Amino acid sequence: MFPKKLQKKIDNRKAHNALRTLKNESNLVDFSSNDYLGFAKNESIFDSAHNYLTGHNIKQNGATGSRLLSGNHNLYPVVENILANFHDSESALIFNSGYNANVGFFSAVPQKDDIILYDELSHASIRDGIALSHAKAYKFKHNNLEELEQLIRRHSELVSKSHSHIYIVTESVFSMDGDSPNLVKLSELCKKQNAYLVVDEAHAIGVFGNKGEGLVQHLKLETEVFARLVTFGKALGCHGAAILGSEQLKQYLINFSRSFIYTTGLAPHTLSTIQSAYSEITVTDQRRKLFQNIVYFKNGILNNKLQDVFIESHSAIHCCIISGNENVKYISKKLQGKGYDVKPILSPTVPEGQERLRFCLHSYNSEKEIVEVLALLATFVSS
Ligand SMILES: Cc1ncc(COP(=O)(O)O)c(C=O)c1O
């Protein structure tokens, strides 16, 4: 017995060539993981996380409860201090994942009568958090600051009358496009309009900044931003996330963020791995290799005359628009058949017509792999 309505939804997904399925790990050349610096498989991070635990006699598998009850083990304040220092923030509050952090932040912080203005391509976790909020939310066209300014003006009278606040939400690197907003202009706009700026840095941490601090710090905007989300499941190669902001914000979230309160904390091993990854990130030359590959990939796009189908990006994410689920799946399968793991991003994850191949670049991709995969792609895209 399975509810008919649900079966119909699955059938509908199949009919649109959009059924999601779980794939097993492959041995293909990695152009799809978020492990930009190879940290997920970095043995010295693994060993130092393990050695720290044994050296401090922390032989505990799980957190044992919510952080507000029994789960706030000693590594939490240690790692939160490291994060706050590294990211030049007054405080850091660790959540179990970036998804949890965004849902917990947006459902708790903007209040009824407040206004949330968010980029239309914001990650699902931001949109889910906003859906749980009592504030009014409006999206603006992707990276379009003119439209954002118009939206602010439209609401400014209401804001001044009702003492409500405006929250403006963006990502420093967009997960499905790889591009970035003009954060300098955006923060000036927020300052001018007394709006609170929130930046999701999930795909910028480890990639941008001399030490991988992210784009906000790279641009020296940390004091202009109300809250930053950093996640550890991407370039840091492990798991978890943190909200960076003031001590008051931290105190507020501890008290009101339900995805923080009503869940078991992370295991000490996870925290120890985050700690090790943060010490590796400052000394690594993996970032230099990653950027060499980004430059190499961008040159490859030009050499293969693919610039019209790729979204302009300076990050580790490069997307080639191939309209239609069937088309993008076909080309992805062909590339996979030749040994390259390039994933198709289908609608409804992205808007219909904007389906794409998403290339994630890594420090460990070779120039040969980049040359070959782009040459191969060119044969499909031009034919
Ligand atoms: C922009 C962005 N924010 C948040 C998340 C969620 O992070 P996590 O994977 O830690 O839940 C992701 C991951 O997909 C993301 O791309």
Side-chain angles (χ1 to χ4, degrees), residues 97-99 102 123 125 171 173 175 200 202-203 229 231 233-234 240-241:
S97 71
Y99 185 90
N102 273 335
H123 190 259
S125 54
E171 296 174 22
V173 173
S175 58
D200 181 331
H203 294 277
L229 170 84
T231 68
K234 309 199 191 290

Side-chain angles (χ1 to χ4, degrees), residues 55-71:
H56 288 75
N57 204 24
I58 304 172
K59 294 185 179 163
Q60 183 185 323
N61 298 318
T64 78
S66 161
R67 289 187 62 187
L68 282 148
L69 298 173
S70 59

Side-chain angles (χ1 to χ4, degrees), residues 341-360:
D341 190 12
V342 184
K343 291 283 191 295
I345 308 294
L346 309 178
S347 57
T349 300
V350 289
E352 225 169 285
Q354 292 285 301
E355 294 84 359
R356 63 200 60 183
L357 287 173
R358 181 172 182 256
F359 291 81
C360 292

Side-chain angles (χ1 to χ4, degrees), residues 60-67 69-74 76 96 263-271:
Q60 183 185 323
N61 298 318
T64 78
S66 161
R67 289 187 62 187
L69 298 173
S70 59
N72 199 39
H73 49 80
N74 292 342
Y76 267 117
N96 286 4
T263 188
T264 302
L266 294 169
H269 190 272
T270 305
L271 277 274

Side-chain angles (χ1 to χ4, degrees), residues 271-283:
L271 277 274
S272 187
T273 310
I274 296 166
Q275 177 176 239
S276 302
Y278 264 90
S279 62
E280 185 78 14
I281 209 169
T282 59
V283 294

Side-chain angles (χ1 to χ4, degrees), residues 119-136:
D119 191 289
E120 64 180 348
L121 298 189
S122 295
H123 190 259
S125 54
I126 295 174
R127 287 184 282 121
D128 288 359
I130 290 173
L132 288 170
S133 161
H134 297 294
K136 289 203 177 64

